Amino acid sequence: MRTPSLYSQDDPISAAMKPPPTETDAERNVRLMAEAEAKRVSDQIDEDLRQERERMKRKKGDVKLLLLGQAESGKSTLQKQFQLMYKPNSLDQERISWKTVIYFNVVHSLKHILNTLEAWDDTLDEDPIEDAESISQPKSRVNGIAQQPSPSASLMTASSMPSGLTSSPAWSNGSSHTLNVSREPGAVQISNLRRRLTPLMATDAPLADRLSGGITVSGSGKGSVYVRNGWQARTIENALGRRKLSHETEVKKSLESSYDSGQDILVQDVGRMLAAAKDDIKDLWSHPTVKGLIARRKLKLDEWSEFFLRHISRVAAPDYIPTTDDILHARIQTMGVAEHVFDVNIHGKSVSWHLFDVGGARGQRHSWVPYFDDANAIIFVAPVSAFDQYLEEDPRTNRIDDSLQLFTQICSNALLKSVHLVLFLNKTDLLKAKLETGLKVRKYITSFGERSNDYETVVQYFRAHFLQVHRRNNENRRVLYTHFTSVVDTKATQRIIGNVRDSIFRGYLQSAALV
């Protein structure tokens, strides 16, 4: 059978496309231009498809690494360590934008201290220091009675392992406190400090809006500030009052120069206020009532709060630029999933690593699932220092229990059965510090029983529970690599990252049938 040519009279499509005999020269030119544009678009689509096939072919050799764990476990700090190790210039480019975060951390910490002092009438009760074993969850006072959650009955035991956690929802009463009516000298001092620091406290909300762009996240913590990937550039855009920057180079220039040129008025104002209030902040931080409330565990501060308050003289300096250590300690909560790409050279072979840092709050964990499908490796970060802490989203749930439940879900997920799994038992430095103050694990996790309260016993106890979860959900006999970490310690963490890199790369070669 004869195949019709393009302009064959037997081909109805050709007949339909054939120009009418009455076509004028002007109509012909328009038609030819339209055909040329259609061909250009078609050729561009073909080229895009070709490039996408090439990218997919190259991407087959990439490593996809997920950082998973609950909020405030240290995932974003670990991501910064990867960035510092494999892409240090990028950290330098965004260094100045961390100034906003650190100022917010300082102001927010001071606001928390002053609010707690106000709840206790700016005085320190004359009762003896609370037993270090007592619950440390921040208490709400109702008719003079302190309310607090009861300790977790146990970690995940053999009977409760499949179904999740054991965390008692019951509430128990603490000791009652009588508010002092008279104003003691210490209370007068704090009142004066509060009055002088009030203008600085008023910058808390504007700094939060600068970082988040006004975005709030429901169901993921009370009063927390969340940022999306690329917040560094958007912080500058918001400061400049611009909706969008046209090119990435312009973003980088803005990051490097906006503060120096005085374009971010808010951050400049906060810097001047911090410099002026530096001595008042020192007096508040060293005040006996503040120290007493901390000792009695009526005032709880996060590690980053204490870090920046200890270094307030440097942070409040007019020429302050965040150091790498400052950036590692700075706290800002991630919303959604942020991808970071690093070229990792090992044994002469360069491999692109796609590291995904995900939001760990309960309301954001649903966003993890789409990234499970083709993941090569997971680093699960669990903060072992959090045995005396409770979820911000659910004050009845012990954070260690929540980590174990989350780890169970990861280990049992069918999409992740063959994924290389690394466990970071993180914040060991804070665990040691808590145990040295006499804090008893058994008061928060009763299944700990009468075991010795020393660091080695405690950390091995937690490790055993995570290993038990893995054994019960390990049909493919996957090896679990476990590390005790403090991810703010750069030298130790980068040494561990090197070990993790080697183990992941061996798994990568095996999966690619290259060894």
Side-chain angles (χ1 to χ4, degrees):
M1 178 178 177
R2 181 173 62 88
T3 302
S5 64
L6 181 61
Y7 293 105
S8 170
Q9 297 298 319
D10 299 331
D11 183 3
I13 296 179
S14 297
M17 294 179 61
K18 189 174 182 181
T22 59
E23 181 183 51
T24 64
D25 289 343
E27 290 172 338
R28 179 175 179 276
N29 290 335
V30 170
R31 176 175 58 79
L32 292 177
M33 290 176 62
E35 290 177 354
E37 176 62 17
K39 185 177 185 305
R40 186 195 67 77
V41 171
S42 177
D43 291 344
Q44 183 62 50
I45 291 173
D46 290 340
E47 177 62 19
D48 290 344
L49 290 172
R50 186 191 67 78
Q51 292 181 5
E52 181 62 22
R53 284 193 296 269
E54 289 293 324
R55 280 194 296 269
M56 293 298 294
K57 184 178 179 181
R58 289 194 303 269
K59 203 168 182 178
K60 285 183 180 179
D62 292 357
V63 171
K64 184 177 179 181
L65 174 62
L66 308 182
L67 297 184
L68 304 181
Q70 64 184 203
E72 300 185 46
S73 59
K75 301 185 302 298
S76 294
T77 305
L78 180 58
Q79 173 266 311
K80 295 174 200 171
Q81 291 285 15
F82 270 92
Q83 190 175 354
L84 188 62
M85 189 168 182
Y86 294 114
K87 209 171 183 180
N89 289 340
S90 64
L91 196 65
D92 288 335
Q93 289 171 355
E94 66 185 42
R95 184 178 300 277
I96 198 65
S97 64
W98 283 97
K99 193 173 184 179
T100 311
V101 178
I102 293 166
Y103 281 179
F104 173 72
N105 287 169
V106 171
V107 172
H108 203 66
S109 300
L110 292 172
K111 187 175 180 180
H112 174 57
I113 291 173
L114 289 172
N115 286 343
T116 304
L117 285 167
E118 186 175 17
W120 294 98
D121 202 31
D122 293 344
T123 61
L124 184 63
D125 294 337
E126 294 302 324
D127 58 342
I129 292 180
E130 289 185 42
D131 189 329
E133 302 173 3
S134 61
I135 296 297
S136 62
Q137 175 70 11
K139 307 169 186 177
S140 61
R141 295 165 67 105
V142 179
N143 297 325
I145 303 297
Q147 302 290 321
Q148 59 193 19
S150 61
S152 173
S154 67
L155 290 183
M156 301 178 71
T157 61
S159 61
S160 65
M161 185 72 68
S163 60
L165 304 179
T166 304
S167 181
S168 171
W171 292 78
S172 61
N173 291 333
S175 58
S176 62
H177 300 271
T178 302
L179 298 180
N180 293 322
V181 177
S182 62
R183 302 297 288 172
E184 299 176 356
V188 173
Q189 293 171 359
I190 291 173
S191 179
N192 290 332
L193 288 172
R194 177 182 290 106
R195 176 176 50 80
R196 293 198 293 270
L197 291 172
T198 294
L200 180 61
M201 298 304 96
T203 65
D204 179 69
L207 285 170
D209 286 342
R210 172 74 86 247
L211 291 167
S212 67
I215 296 173
T216 58
V217 180
S218 60
S220 299
K222 300 176 182 178
S224 299
V225 174
Y226 292 85
V227 296
R228 293 184 182 275
N229 187 29
W231 63 267
Q232 296 93 336
R234 285 192 296 273
T235 298
I236 303 302
E237 293 177 34
N238 293 337
L240 300 179
R242 298 167 62 177
R243 301 287 296 178
K244 184 178 179 182
L245 294 179
S246 55
H247 301 291
E248 183 180 352
T249 55
E250 191 174 352
V251 173
K252 291 180 179 178
K253 288 179 181 178
S254 296
L255 286 172
E256 294 168 354
S257 65
S258 63
Y259 290 102
D260 294 335
S261 62
Q263 293 178 22
D264 193 331
I265 304 301
L266 172 62
V267 175
Q268 276 203 327
D269 286 345
V270 175
R272 283 192 292 266
M273 295 168 75
L274 280 172
K278 177 179 61 177
D279 292 336
D280 287 335
I281 296 172
K282 287 181 180 179
D283 289 343
L284 180 66
W285 176 237
S286 62
H287 197 280
T289 301
V290 174
K291 295 300 182 186
L293 288 176
I294 292 174
R296 287 164 170 78
R297 300 186 62 74
K298 296 172 182 175
L299 170 60
K300 284 192 62 182
L301 293 173
D302 295 297
E303 58 270 19
W304 49 266
S305 296
E306 297 193 12
F307 177 84
F308 290 119
L309 290 175
R310 286 198 306 269
H311 294 87
I312 192 61
S313 294
R314 180 171 56 80
V315 172
D319 57 348
Y320 171 67
I321 298 294
T323 66
T324 298
D325 205 28
D326 291 342
I327 295 174
L328 291 174
H329 281 86
R331 172 64 181 153
I332 190 75
Q333 297 199 61
T334 308
M335 180 169 62
V337 180
E339 180 182 4
H340 305 269
V341 182
F342 307 105
D343 290 325
V344 179
N345 192 299
I346 181 169
H347 305 311
K349 181 177 179 63
S350 181
V351 178
S352 291
W353 283 37
H354 299 258
L355 188 149
F356 295 87
D357 177 20
V358 303
R362 275 189 173 180
Q364 300 184 58
R365 294 174 187 175
H366 63 278
S367 64
W368 300 5
V369 178
Y371 296 85
F372 289 174
D373 194 26
D374 57 346
N376 301 105
I378 289 173
I379 297 180
F380 187 90
V381 186
V384 289
S385 65
F387 67 88
D388 63 328
Q389 296 173 273
Y390 298 81
L391 291 183
E392 188 177 8
E393 310 95 297
D394 180 6
R396 298 171 299 177
T397 301
N398 185 285
R399 287 189 60 193
I400 292 286
D401 278 341
D402 181 65
S403 274
L404 280 165
Q405 183 184 36
L406 191 53
F407 191 61
T408 302
Q409 294 169 1
I410 297 302
C411 291
S412 61
N413 191 293
L415 295 174
L416 304 174
K417 288 294 185 182
S418 301
V419 172
H420 188 93
L421 188 58
V422 181
L423 173 64
F424 276 24
L425 297 176
N426 193 34
K427 301 192 178 184
T428 54
D429 55 330
L430 300 179
L431 175 63
K432 289 178 182 177
K434 286 183 177 182
L435 296 177
E436 287 171 0
T437 65
L439 207 59
K440 303 295 184 184
V441 174
R442 61 184 171 87
K443 280 294 181 178
Y444 303 91
I445 301 172
T446 56
S447 64
F448 187 76
E450 298 302 320
R451 292 175 176 84
S452 174
N453 205 63
D454 62 277
Y455 168 77
E456 193 61 32
T457 301
V458 171
V459 80
Q460 291 299 336
Y461 171 78
F462 290 142
R463 178 176 181 269
H465 277 79
F466 281 95
L467 291 179
Q468 185 183 35
V469 167
H470 181 255
R471 280 195 301 270
R472 290 177 175 274
N473 298 275
N474 190 23
E475 298 172 3
N476 292 359
R477 298 184 180 277
R478 168 180 54 192
V479 176
L480 175 64
Y481 298 85
T482 307
H483 299 273
F484 299 113
T485 60
S486 171
V487 293
V488 293
D489 183 337
T490 298
K491 287 186 178 179
T493 302
Q494 294 197 355
R495 185 166 57 248
I496 292 171
I497 288 176
N499 294 334
V500 170
R501 175 201 62 200
D502 292 344
S503 64
I504 291 176
F505 193 74
R506 284 194 296 271
Y508 160 82
L509 292 177
Q510 290 170 356
S511 65
L514 297 177
V515 297

